[in-house]
Amino acid sequence: MKRILTTLCALALVMAGSATALAAEAASDSSYYPISVEEYTYGDFDELRINKTYQLSLGDDPSLIPTEDFTRNGRRYYLLDMTRKDEVGVDVQTYTETVTQASDTNNLETILQRLDAEMEVTTEDGYVGILRLDHTSVQVTTDGYATKTNTLSASRSYPNLSEADASLIPKSIEDKGKTLTLGDVKWSESMDVDGEGNPVTRYTATASYTGSTTSRYATGYTVSANYTGEVSKANCAVVTYTAIFGSEKAQEESKAPGTDEKHDADNDGVQDTQNPSDTEKEPVDLSSLKRPVMIGVVVLALGAGGVVVFKKIKERR
């Protein structure tokens, strides 16, 4: 018996949870917003009317268009008619396309001069338009690096040497911040006299120095840039709905019987400025409670049925 009772209770709880979920789902239904609202007068009596226009695609549900009464500026508006018009529209979207190209320089000024200011584009979805270069989006990346070796050379002259001896020549020199080593020496001689008038031979060495330097350089550059603009696509089927609302003066709240706008409560001959009945309660809208009440009835019915089944099983035993 306990097992049967437990099963019935669990069933009631499941049904109650399902009913609550359905109520929450119904409450979360979304509606559409108008693309335009027009307020105007109609007829000989200058009746105030409002047209709310909605634009939907063929796949949208028109039953979600709000048609409930509403109050505006002391008038109650109610739905008179709903019109539908099938038409061809133009869909406009913002579109960005990234362009990449090779470059032999990373100088931004030179790159900007080489890039087109605008470009025509046709997307895969059939949208067409003209895009313009976004200068702030231009980026330059290096493809890779390589090294190269350059040969350095310099020469020095050493005159008035007593002998043609290479040991008298420096083996290395500094040239423009680089160290060069002795490579070759060429000699020349000339006759001269000493202080006593005796002839002597003098030598001049012309030394050649060599060296090398290694540098790293970029093998190439890749430029990327964004082109942005609006693209459009014609022949898009859209449906335009117009909800037409008429209006009437909103009814004022009825006052409690036996009360006046102004009265003398204390019989002092002066009308009171504060009337206890001035603060009136608005009628409570019970439409939102209908669904929870129905859900409660279903749950109670399930519980009552379970009790009956439980009693019959107990009598049989």
Side-chain angles (χ1 to χ4, degrees):
M1 290 299 177
K2 291 182 178 180
R3 181 177 300 174
I4 295 174
L5 183 58
T6 302
T7 304
L8 291 175
C9 292
L11 179 61
L13 289 174
V14 171
M15 293 300 296
S18 301
T20 304
L22 290 174
E25 181 179 356
S28 63
D29 287 343
S30 60
S31 57
Y32 303 113
Y33 292 94
I35 61 173
S36 67
V37 177
E38 177 188 6
E39 186 172 358
Y40 61 98
T41 58
Y42 178 82
D44 297 334
F45 298 99
D46 292 337
E47 175 194 358
L48 290 177
R49 289 189 177 184
I50 290 180
N51 288 357
K52 294 185 178 183
T53 303
Y54 302 83
Q55 198 168 69
L56 280 63
S57 66
L58 295 178
D60 293 332
D61 184 5
S63 65
L64 297 180
I65 295 177
T67 57
E68 298 81 5
D69 296 356
F70 61 92
T71 302
R72 180 172 179 177
N73 296 330
R75 300 186 67 83
R76 183 181 69 89
Y77 287 84
Y78 52 89
L79 182 67
L80 288 176
D81 201 359
M82 177 79 74
T83 64
R84 166 179 172 150
K85 181 181 179 182
D86 297 335
E87 54 189 346
V88 176
V90 177
D91 187 16
V92 179
Q93 297 181 359
T94 301
Y95 182 77
T96 299
E97 182 163 322
T98 302
V99 175
T100 59
Q101 63 183 39
S103 174
D104 58 355
T105 179
N106 63 348
N107 184 276
L108 188 59
E109 183 178 355
T110 302
I111 292 173
L112 289 175
Q113 293 176 355
R114 296 177 180 178
L115 291 172
D116 295 329
E118 60 184 29
M119 62 179 293
E120 296 183 2
V121 65
T122 301
T123 68
E124 296 180 356
D125 299 332
Y127 290 83
V128 296
I130 296 178
L131 309 180
R132 289 174 174 78
L133 174 64
D134 180 5
H135 295 81
T136 62
S137 68
V138 178
Q139 295 183 351
V140 183
T141 57
T142 304
D143 298 335
Y145 293 93
T147 58
K148 63 179 180 181
T149 301
N150 296 323
T151 301
L152 303 177
S153 63
S155 63
R156 296 289 188 271
S157 178
Y158 302 99
N160 200 28
L161 299 177
S162 60
E163 298 180 4
D165 187 355
S167 62
L168 301 177
I169 308 301
K171 299 300 185 290
S172 63
I173 61 172
E174 292 291 328
D175 184 72
K176 298 178 181 179
K178 301 295 181 181
T179 300
L180 307 181
T181 59
L182 180 64
D184 187 25
V185 180
K186 292 183 178 180
W187 298 92
S188 62
E189 58 182 43
S190 61
M191 298 300 298
D192 199 359
V193 295
D194 57 13
E196 297 178 356
N198 299 320
V200 295
T201 303
R202 298 296 182 184
Y203 298 90
T204 299
T206 302
S208 298
Y209 294 87
T210 59
S212 63
T213 181
T214 301
S215 60
R216 188 168 177 257
Y217 67 96
T219 57
Y221 303 94
T222 297
V223 178
S224 64
N226 293 339
Y227 287 79
T228 303
E230 289 187 345
V231 293
S232 60
K233 181 180 180 181
N235 300 326
C236 295
V238 295
V239 183
T240 299
Y241 292 90
T242 301
I244 304 173
F245 290 88
S247 71
E248 63 181 6
K249 187 175 181 181
Q251 296 181 358
E252 297 181 357
E253 298 292 341
S254 60
K255 298 182 176 60
T259 59
D260 298 325
E261 272 188 22
K262 298 180 181 179
H263 65 287
D264 187 3
D266 48 8
N267 297 320
D268 58 358
V270 180
Q271 290 181 337
D272 297 337
T273 58
Q274 180 68 27
N275 192 328
S277 63
D278 288 346
T279 304
E280 300 175 354
K281 296 183 179 179
E282 297 183 357
V284 179
D285 185 8
L286 299 179
S287 60
S288 61
L289 300 178
K290 291 181 180 179
R291 189 180 299 271
V293 171
M294 294 177 63
I295 295 171
V297 172
V298 172
V299 175
L300 290 176
L302 290 173
V307 172
V308 173
V309 173
F310 174 72
K311 287 181 177 181
K312 288 185 178 182
I313 294 175
K314 187 174 182 182
E315 290 175 359
R316 290 181 181 178
R317 292 191 175 183

